[in-house]
Amino acid sequence: LIGERADSKLADSILRIAADAPAVVSANGVLTVQLAPDQILAMLSLHFADALPASEVEATVLEIEHRVRCVHPAVVALLVKPQTSRTYHEAVRRRFGVPVSDAASDPPANNQSL
């Protein structure tokens, strides 16, 4: 359990929560790591609207983090990497050899950053 991905339903839920934020163009993917039975680290790739000021990006991230922790209290840390969908998919393909159309919420390897 320790060091493994969290349940895929949790990853899907985090992506849905993030995608619902008005400032988010797309929730590209999420990488999760089970730290303990009741502790999960999640790393989230988000494409924000281009014209969004940094203060609104920060407010959006805080709101997403709050919503995720309300729904999934086991998520003890949520790290957000702002990047376009294209950059995310290129990174997945380059690092994991996964075609863009097959890139799911969690890349095939765990504990690897994009």
Side-chain angles (χ1 to χ4, degrees):
L1 181 61
I2 306 303
E4 296 291 326
R5 288 184 212 164
D7 186 308
S8 63
K9 290 177 186 174
L10 178 131
D12 292 343
S13 174
I14 291 172
L15 284 173
R16 280 192 304 277
I17 289 168
D20 285 345
V24 173
V25 173
S26 69
N28 302 318
V30 62
L31 196 69
T32 60
V33 178
Q34 195 78 44
L35 302 174
D38 61 346
Q39 295 182 345
I40 298 165
L41 169 67
M43 287 106 4
L44 185 59
S45 168
L46 298 178
H47 181 174
F48 291 95
D50 290 338
L52 206 60
S55 60
E56 288 186 45
V57 170
E58 181 181 14
T60 299
V61 168
L62 290 172
E63 179 60 27
I64 291 168
E65 183 177 40
H66 173 75
R67 290 186 59 211
V68 166
R69 286 194 175 150
C70 284
V71 176
H72 305 289
V75 175
V76 296
L78 178 67
L79 308 175
V80 176
K81 182 174 184 176
Q83 64 186 156
T84 65
S85 300
R86 182 179 192 170
T87 301
Y88 169 78
H89 290 299
E90 287 172 359
V92 168
R93 184 175 50 244
R94 187 175 54 254
R95 298 243 170 111
F96 306 113
V98 176
V100 172
S101 61
D102 293 341
S105 60
D106 266 329
N110 204 13
N111 296 325
Q112 296 189 20
S113 63
L114 301 177

